[in-house]
Amino acid sequence: MSKNTVSARFRRVDVDEYDENKFVDEEDGGENQMGPDEAEVDSLIRHSCTGNLTEALHAVLKNPPINTKNQNVKDRAEGLVLKVLSSFKSGDIEKGVQSLDKNGVDLLMKYIYKGFERPSENSSAVLLQWHEKALAAGGVGSIVRVLTARKTV
Amino acid sequence: TPSTLFDPLLSSAFSALFFKTLSHLFSSPIHLCPALGEIALCPNNHEVHIYKKDGTKWTKIHELKEHNGQVTGIDWAPESNRIVTCGADRNAYVWTLKEGTWKPTLVILRINRAARCVKWSPKENKFAVGSGSRLISVCYFEQENDWWVCKHIKKPIRSTILSLDWHPNNALLAAGSCDFKCRVFSAYIKEVEEKPGPTPWGSKMPFGELLFESGGSPAAAQTSGASGGWVHSVCFSHSGNRLAWTSHDSTLCVSEGGKNGTLTSLSSETLPLLCVTFITENSLVAAGHDCYPVLFVYDGAKGSLTFGGKLDVPKQAAQKGISARERFQNLDRRASETQNTDKDLNTLHKNSISQISVLEGGRNQCTKFCTTGMDGGMGIWDVKSLESAMKDLKIV
């Protein structure tokens, strides 16, 4: 069997980068997207009874940092969402999901899958409970939209 | 030979037809010519086969062999009785019936990638081919030179064209693409037709003009995060004033009045829809990876698009003995000899539905439509029977 003595570095070249017809996503100007308001959300959680937690949920789903390239903003938003989701009692999750409109359920699904990507100490368990209720509300279509979104949280 | 599967409980709603051959992947379309009771289909290879209905049997009467690659599109022009086919070999052929056999004429599309879809225009004097070359070839016959020539629509298409549909005025063409957009172009060819009058889509229509492009404003994208998916299917309503399309992000959209009109979209709870058609000016039927057709209702006045109901009747037939033929069919379709009712799909189609065609009544008063799927099956659906068989189903 002959041995390849020539450099194999060419195999690491990404030829698509040199394609002049390469598809480039449109720029959507996300520089001003700051994510949900941390102060507002925190105060709603602190003064939480179920009613306020639902408000906290709505507040944390506002201004999703979808178009921004700033990873810190995205991480902060995800952390804040996880905080709100973890504050709910298991029995109240369904009501929380039902208070959302279609777009809200889709957005929640995006945050849930984002959360799955980097699990922390109890996060997956909480997220799985939310996932079950969000799936019941949004159907597999909401998961399809997580998969096809070119820009996400 | 194909066998006809016939469930007596559901016989009024639809009859089903399964082609027990290699043709399980009907991602190549079928084309029906209901006037003649014939079908042209591609059994997932380089050929096109034509079947004729003889009572309840279907018999193969022609084999069209000319393509050097998978046939990806078939369209049958009923008035002039010509068939156009396009394929992965980057060619299109126009077939005419001469002395009992179909004779091909090559059409050079000038593309360097596979052709993906083809559609005759309503007047049958042009046809459009979508391809992986990121452009649309609009072809017409040049009398003086006795051959088909084509013009290209390129800008601003940035990926493969998956679907095409002509506006009833024979000049406007809708195209769905893998670059996540649905567009309306002018495909007006002065050599073969008069200048078209203004429509809600626009009044200036030189060839190649872009009259509409989906994708919405950045503001819309921010609130819903929706950036769309590949546009699998596009369809004009009978009047041409409305355009519907389905995307891979499980959405259905309807545009009315073009650039300055309305755009209504519905995020579906289902898996992505691969095909859609209007059955009245307000009702649409779409189908896809969930293997059953779905009714949607569009209300122009309210600007709303709603789910109208699932159009499939689950089989409630008792378990009966399985014949050897059924075992073979199950093995073919599902890689398992028996119908395991637990994991069994209780829909007519056992795999994704790739195409939906109106058979009778046109797009404004459809009475019969047909679905073909990747299970090699073709279902014919009767609209009146569906309405009576399904509670709460109202087609407006």
Side-chain angles (χ1 to χ4, degrees), chain B residues 28-41:
Chain B
S28 295
I30 243 186
H31 200 91
L32 296 100
C33 192
L36 301 168
E38 292 177 16
I39 297 184
L41 58 91

Side-chain angles (χ1 to χ4, degrees), chain B residues 72 86-92 107-117 129-138 150-152 154:
Chain B
T72 53
C86 71
D89 61 357
R90 297 167 275 138
N91 288 331
V107 179
I108 300 192
L109 301 171
R110 296 184 285 122
I111 54 180
N112 56 8
R113 292 290 183 277
R116 276 295 255 104
C117 51
V129 181
S131 64
S133 289
R134 314 168 212 241
L135 54 85
I136 304 169
S137 303
V138 181
C150 77
K151 283 194 175 157
H152 285 170
K154 254 189 121 128

Side-chain angles (χ1 to χ4, degrees), chain B residues 78-149:
Chain B
E79 298 297 318
S80 49
N81 200 31
R82 288 175 300 180
I83 297 176
V84 62
T85 59
C86 71
D89 61 357
R90 297 167 275 138
N91 288 331
Y93 292 93
V94 173
W95 304 79
T96 34
L97 197 55
K98 290 196 170 89
E99 285 145 27
T101 42
W102 287 94
K103 296 277 195 284
T105 306
L106 172 67
V107 179
I108 300 192
L109 301 171
R110 296 184 285 122
I111 54 180
N112 56 8
R113 292 290 183 277
R116 276 295 255 104
C117 51
V118 62
K119 273 272 171 75
W120 282 109
S121 70
K123 293 208 177 85
E124 299 174 12
N125 51 5
K126 302 184 287 193
F127 62 87
V129 181
S131 64
S133 289
R134 314 168 212 241
L135 54 85
I136 304 169
S137 303
V138 181
C139 309
Y140 61 98
F141 195 69
E142 210 174 61
Q143 276 303 138
E144 318 91 72
N145 293 321
D146 190 31
W147 68 352
W148 290 86
V149 294

Side-chain angles (χ1 to χ4, degrees), chain A residues 16-37:
Chain A
D16 286 334
E17 290 299 314
Y18 298 93
D19 179 7
E20 59 206 14
N21 283 326
K22 182 178 180 223
F23 184 87
V24 172
D25 277 293
E26 285 160 11
E27 288 302 312
D28 258 343
E31 305 84 29
N32 293 327
Q33 280 188 331
M34 295 309 290
D37 187 332

Side-chain angles (χ1 to χ4, degrees), chain A residues 21 24 67 102 141 145 150, chain B residues 134 158 180 249 267 269:
Chain A
N21 283 326
V24 172
N67 292 318
K102 258 188 180 270
R145 281 182 284 282
R150 293 192 64 80
Chain B
R134 314 168 212 241
R158 296 163 69 206
F180 321 119
D249 61 352
S267 296
E269 290 177 18

Side-chain angles (χ1 to χ4, degrees), chain A residues 48-115:
Chain A
S48 67
C49 46
T50 330
N52 272 353
L53 272 184
T54 311
E55 273 185 56
L57 180 64
H58 286 236
V60 85
L61 291 178
K62 278 199 279 205
N63 295 330
I66 291 178
N67 292 318
T68 183
K69 294 204 181 78
N70 186 335
Q71 195 53 45
N72 286 336
V73 173
K74 292 192 184 229
D75 289 344
R76 239 201 338 262
E78 178 63 37
L80 208 51
V81 169
L82 200 49
K83 200 167 170 185
V84 173
L85 299 186
S86 309
S87 308
F88 271 73
K89 285 206 286 272
S90 300
D92 295 331
I93 293 179
E94 185 163 2
K95 268 204 296 270
V97 170
Q98 278 162 5
S99 73
L100 300 173
D101 64 3
K102 258 188 180 270
N103 286 339
V105 173
D106 279 353
L107 182 56
L108 174 64
M109 220 20 135
K110 290 193 169 73
Y111 275 119
I112 290 174
Y113 276 93
K114 197 69 207 282

Side-chain angles (χ1 to χ4, degrees), chain B residues 346-366:
Chain B
N346 59 355
T347 51
L348 175 72
H349 280 284
K350 302 304 178 188
N351 205 324
S352 308
I353 297 175
S354 47
Q355 192 182 314
I356 192 164
S357 329
V358 166
L359 287 184
E360 282 172 21
R363 289 182 191 172
N364 57 342
Q365 279 177 322
C366 174

